[in-house]
Amino acid sequence: MDYANNDGQDIASICLLAGKIILQNGGETYRVEDTMVRIAGAYGVANAYSYVTPTGIIFALDGAAQSTRLVRISERSTNLKKVTLVNDISRRICQGNLQRHEAYKQLQDIEQAANDYPAWLKVLVAAIASGCFLIMFRGSWNDFLPVALASGIGFLCLLTLHRIMPITFFASFLSAVISGSLAVLMVWLGFGHNLDKIIIGSIMPLVPGLHITNAVRDLMAGHLVSGLSKGAEAFLIAFAIGAGIAFVLSVYS
């Protein structure tokens, strides 16, 4: 396919939209760059270049119709279903099974789809997962319900606070304070037994596991800027959680 016969702006729009969806929903930066370059190559652009950071995408096309565009990423969440759908579209494009207009329409549908799972489902899953972490850490089944309650309420506060005040550090700190306070209260009332295990289990849904994983994978792929920035973000969130628990223990000790 000759790039000169294609509309460079349309190809750039498809690549940027695919990269934007992946980056906004928890994909690694090297995956974003690889996907964009592969899509451009499949549509006949031999020389496409992308530079991705956690907060922005720069994409350039070389050739008869040179183009350089920038997309700012201000909101990020975790929705691996959207990442999987974009990966599937990318594979179909590379196999020659998807034309440009259809690919762009499908990407728009993915972007405009409901962005997340219902809050009640997230809280329920977080509560059950925390109880499972308690058992994995050799806690008692008698503490399963206290951990689930402390974790569920804490995670609900995280979702609410992040919606009201989109600053992850403060939302994580206050959520950790609430989970820790509930754990202390339940032990004091005799409803819970092992305070350490209850606190550890209840804060597990707050831990930035995806950030840490992506930071390591980006560093291993040679994307030092993205890896270090994601690592710094994960460290700040982990520090906020630790500070919240330390605050609770210092008050109630």
Side-chain angles (χ1 to χ4, degrees):
M1 182 180 294
D2 185 4
Y3 169 48
N5 295 329
N6 294 328
D7 186 342
Q9 294 298 324
D10 287 348
I11 297 173
S13 297
I14 295 171
C15 295
L16 283 168
L17 184 55
K20 178 184 176 184
I21 294 172
I22 294 176
L23 192 59
Q24 281 184 328
N25 291 281
E28 308 93 326
T29 54
Y30 78 86
R31 184 189 299 276
V32 176
E33 293 184 352
D34 182 66
T35 300
M36 296 171 71
V37 172
R38 284 178 183 272
I39 291 175
Y43 285 135
V45 182
N47 299 315
Y49 307 95
S50 61
Y51 180 74
V52 180
T53 70
T55 56
I57 300 174
I58 300 175
F59 185 68
L61 298 178
D62 199 1
Q66 295 183 359
S67 173
T68 301
R69 295 170 64 176
L70 167 68
V71 170
R72 174 75 174 172
I73 305 296
S74 55
E75 289 288 336
R76 297 190 302 276
S77 62
T78 302
N79 191 333
L80 299 184
K81 181 180 178 181
K82 287 191 174 184
V83 176
T84 303
L85 291 174
V86 174
N87 285 338
D88 179 63
I89 290 176
S90 172
R91 293 190 188 95
R92 291 162 57 196
I93 292 174
C94 292
Q95 293 169 356
N97 298 327
L98 205 57
Q99 298 301 314
R100 279 184 293 166
H101 67 282
E102 183 63 23
Y104 190 70
K105 181 178 183 304
Q106 292 188 15
L107 289 171
Q108 284 183 313
D109 292 340
I110 294 173
E111 184 186 34
Q112 295 168 3
N115 190 43
D116 224 338
Y117 295 103
W120 65 267
L121 181 59
K122 288 176 148 185
V123 172
L124 177 63
V125 172
I128 295 174
S130 296
C132 294
F133 275 115
L134 170 76
I135 302 304
M136 189 178 74
F137 295 142
R138 300 187 177 183
S140 169
W141 281 98
N142 294 329
D143 289 331
F144 189 95
L145 188 56
V147 166
L149 287 174
S151 172
I153 295 174
F155 197 75
L156 177 61
C157 293
L158 177 69
L159 297 177
T160 305
L161 291 170
H162 195 267
R163 189 179 300 116
I164 298 173
M165 180 179 57
I167 302 176
T168 305
F169 181 86
F170 291 108
S172 298
F173 174 79
L174 293 176
S175 299
V177 169
I178 292 170
S179 293
S181 299
L182 289 173
V184 171
L185 179 62
M186 284 187 279
V187 171
W188 183 72
L189 293 175
F191 185 49
H193 301 87
N194 191 321
L195 179 61
D196 294 344
K197 298 289 177 59
I198 294 175
I199 288 178
I200 292 172
S202 64
I203 63 172
M204 289 307 294
L206 307 178
V207 174
L210 184 64
H211 291 73
I212 297 172
T213 302
N214 283 349
V216 173
R217 295 190 66 173
D218 281 338
L219 287 172
M220 292 178 67
H223 293 244
L224 301 181
V225 174
S226 298
L228 291 175
S229 60
K230 286 183 178 177
E233 184 179 5
F235 172 78
L236 286 175
I237 296 173
F239 177 78
I241 296 170
I245 296 300
F247 174 77
V248 171
L249 294 178
S250 64
V251 169
Y252 290 100
S253 62

